[in-house]
């Protein structure tokens, strides 16, 4: 199947939705052991800390980070410490880009440009 012929399925969920460990594993198509390792390395975090992984709840941000971690691991063959560092750096880059955009908007307002 050519790239243009791919079918994309989208699941609409509430922005405040949370997912159990099992649901995250189903949506991320991964084993619970992988998710637990990601939590231990600080790549993703449950909404509230609990000593038992079975009781963990994850938000949409954690699910998105899980998928990003999977892509990095698959495409770049990264280990878990590398994933943690790479995602942290990507977060910092994203934050800096937002700040640059905000500062550019302020500068345009200051200069009276549209």
């Amino acid at each position: 199947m050519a790239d243009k012929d791919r079918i994309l399925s989208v699941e609409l969920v509430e922005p405040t939705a949370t997912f159990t460990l099992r649901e995250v594993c189903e949506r991320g198509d991964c084993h619970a052991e992988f998710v637990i390792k990601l939590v231990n390395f600080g790549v993703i975090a449950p909404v509230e800390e609990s000593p038992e992984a079975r009781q963990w709840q994850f938000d949409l941000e954690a699910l998105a980070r899980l998928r990003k971690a999977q892509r990095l691991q698959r495409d770049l063959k990264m280990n878990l410490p590398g994933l943690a560092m790479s995602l942290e750096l990507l977060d910092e880059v994203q934050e800096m880009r937002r700040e640059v955009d905000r500062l550019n908007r302020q500068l345009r307002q200051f200069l009276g440009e549209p």
Side-chain angles (χ1 to χ4, degrees):
M1 182 182 299
D3 282 341
K4 67 177 186 167
D5 297 330
R6 283 199 178 158
I7 297 173
L8 177 66
S9 62
V10 177
E11 178 182 359
L12 299 176
V13 293
E14 299 261 341
T16 58
T18 59
F19 308 96
T20 64
L21 176 60
R22 180 179 179 165
E23 291 169 331
V24 165
C25 292
E26 289 171 357
R27 284 171 170 76
D29 194 26
C30 63
H31 295 284
E33 181 181 334
F34 181 67
V35 175
I36 292 168
K37 286 180 180 179
L38 291 179
V39 170
N40 290 338
F41 276 92
V43 174
I44 63 173
V47 175
E48 293 180 12
E49 286 295 323
S50 173
E52 290 189 43
R54 294 185 307 228
Q55 297 175 350
W56 287 346
Q57 294 284 316
F58 297 91
D59 57 14
L60 287 173
E61 182 181 339
L63 185 57
R65 284 181 69 80
L66 166 68
R67 290 180 175 155
K68 193 181 285 188
Q70 288 174 309
R71 284 191 306 272
L72 286 171
Q73 189 177 49
R74 180 192 66 226
D75 297 346
L76 303 176
K77 309 289 188 245
M78 290 187 150
N79 61 17
L80 289 172
L83 285 175
M85 180 177 282
S86 296
L87 287 169
E88 185 177 324
L89 291 172
L90 287 170
D91 289 344
E92 286 181 25
V93 167
Q94 185 177 16
E95 186 178 318
M96 286 184 219
R97 285 180 177 161
R98 278 194 296 264
E99 181 67 10
V100 166
D101 288 342
R102 185 185 68 75
L103 291 171
N104 279 331
R105 283 191 305 275
Q106 282 183 338
L107 182 60
R108 283 194 300 274
Q109 286 176 348
F110 179 73
L111 297 175
E113 296 177 6

